[in-house]
Amino acid sequence: MVNAASDASELDPAIQLLDECLAVDGASPDAYRQALKSADADLFDRFKNGEPVSTLVQLRARLVDRLLLTLWSRHDLETAPGVALVAIGGYGRGDLHPYSDVDILVLLETDQPIAFESELSAF
């Protein structure tokens, strides 16, 4: 995942918008989609107002990080043994353009049946 370290982007309005949705425990997948759409609309408005594209694609990667890491945690996968969530492609490089695929890899240590399969499927 992109480095989600605390920095100035934490105060960004698009991230705050997404955080409002993520604060609702048990939000529906539609609510997450809508929150990401709203954040994307904010980024598009900023693009139209001349904000540098390089800033916006990096910020979009951070938004997706925030969403995926929250969902990963809510499904109790952050402590699951032998499993990792890996960002790949443009997203993995920290440059996520609008309408780009979000490429992730769920890496498992073993090919044996896993105890947390239902949580992983729900994620």
Side-chain angles (χ1 to χ4, degrees):
M1 311 306 295
V2 176
N3 183 357
S6 182
D7 63 342
S9 71
E10 298 294 319
L11 305 174
D12 189 274
I15 287 186
Q16 290 176 348
L17 190 61
L18 183 65
D19 281 349
E20 289 174 17
C21 175
L22 295 178
V24 177
D25 197 24
S28 71
D30 285 337
Y32 293 127
R33 276 188 214 93
Q34 186 55 49
L36 194 54
K37 275 185 176 181
S38 296
D40 281 345
D42 176 67
L43 295 179
F44 183 66
D45 287 342
R46 291 160 62 174
F47 168 73
K48 290 189 299 188
N49 289 324
E51 193 159 339
V53 171
S54 59
T55 300
L56 298 173
V57 296
Q58 290 172 1
L59 182 54
R60 187 156 191 277
R62 284 200 171 95
L63 286 166
V64 171
D65 264 354
R66 199 115 166 164
L67 177 62
L68 290 176
L69 291 173
T70 298
L71 293 172
W72 191 255
S73 175
R74 288 197 177 153
H75 290 285
D76 295 323
L77 293 165
E78 75 279 2
T79 59
V83 64
L85 181 61
V86 182
I88 57 176
Y91 170 50
R93 290 186 299 277
D95 292 325
L96 190 57
H97 292 263
Y99 308 107
S100 292
D101 291 342
V102 176
D103 298 315
I104 60 172
L105 168 70
V106 176
L107 189 61
L108 300 174
E109 185 176 68
T110 179
D111 62 357
Q112 300 300 313
I114 50 176
F116 49 88
E117 187 172 358
S118 64
E119 292 87 353
L120 194 55
S121 292
F123 168 77

